[in-house]
Amino acid sequence: MTDPAPAVMTVQEKLDTYSFFDGAILSHGFTSYMRDYEILAEVSAGYNKDGTGRYRYRFTHCVHASYNTSMRDDTWRISWSDILTDYERWKEADAPEGFVWGVCWAETYPGLTYVEDSKAASDWSQRLGQPMHEVQIETNVYSLNLVFHDVVITKLGSEAPILDRVNIPIEP
């Protein structure tokens, strides 16, 4: 008797199983070949099937990507200086007020939401003859919207130095 074939997860199931809720996005953008959109993130064990670590989320066949700031206007105004783009320079300047871009990561809170019954995904599915999906990703710095075909999630390692540095363990 042979073992049954493993069940294939839907896109939504993959994203639920490998959530990056309350994690850190380290980088994002189109791949060098310009078809897929990648997010490099650190995630915590509590929200991810394979535990804490660094993961690559590749949203394949990405036909739409839009980016908007999540920062308020007053925060932008006090965060304009280039000193805030370099963490060490910011510290040397006696930590002036403003958002420190130089931390080089964005907190994924509330994180990724799968858009059910997405009109944009439905329209693209019709146009391309392939199933398409939509997600909304919200961070403390920006909001990102993607329409894509599939997601490939790869664990790159078990280390999460950003999360280790910023998360405070709760002692019983």
Side-chain angles (χ1 to χ4, degrees), residues 23 37 55 62 76-77 91 93 117 156 159:
Y37 197 93
Y55 290 79
C62 185
W76 265 102
R77 282 191 293 275
K91 286 192 318 187
D117 301 319
L156 303 175
E159 302 297 317

Side-chain angles (χ1 to χ4, degrees), residues 4 53 143 171:
S143 175
E171 299 295 327

Side-chain angles (χ1 to χ4, degrees), residues 82-139:
D82 285 347
I83 288 172
L84 297 165
T85 65
D86 183 304
Y87 186 72
E88 293 304 318
R89 281 181 54 207
W90 172 76
K91 286 192 318 187
E92 290 168 7
D94 294 324
E97 186 178 2
F99 180 80
V100 184
W101 306 100
V103 296
C104 300
W105 62 277
E107 180 184 1
T108 56
Y109 183 84
L112 183 144
T113 302
Y114 182 87
V115 181
E116 293 188 53
D117 301 319
S118 162
K119 179 168 178 10
S122 177
D123 290 348
W124 278 103
S125 294
Q126 270 192 310
R127 289 172 66 179
L128 302 176
Q130 296 288 336
M132 302 297 281
H133 307 273
E134 181 179 5
V135 294
Q136 179 72 35
I137 300 166
E138 296 179 69
T139 76

Side-chain angles (χ1 to χ4, degrees), residues 1 4 7 11 13 31 38 52 58 77 82 97 112-113 116 123 129-130 141 148 151 163 166 169-172:
M1 181 181 255
V11 167
E13 288 169 339
T31 59
E38 284 188 343
T52 297
R58 180 174 292 158
R77 282 191 293 275
D82 285 347
E97 186 178 2
L112 183 144
T113 302
E116 293 188 53
D123 290 348
Q130 296 288 336
V141 182
F148 60 96
V151 63
L163 294 180
V166 298
I170 298 172
E171 299 295 327

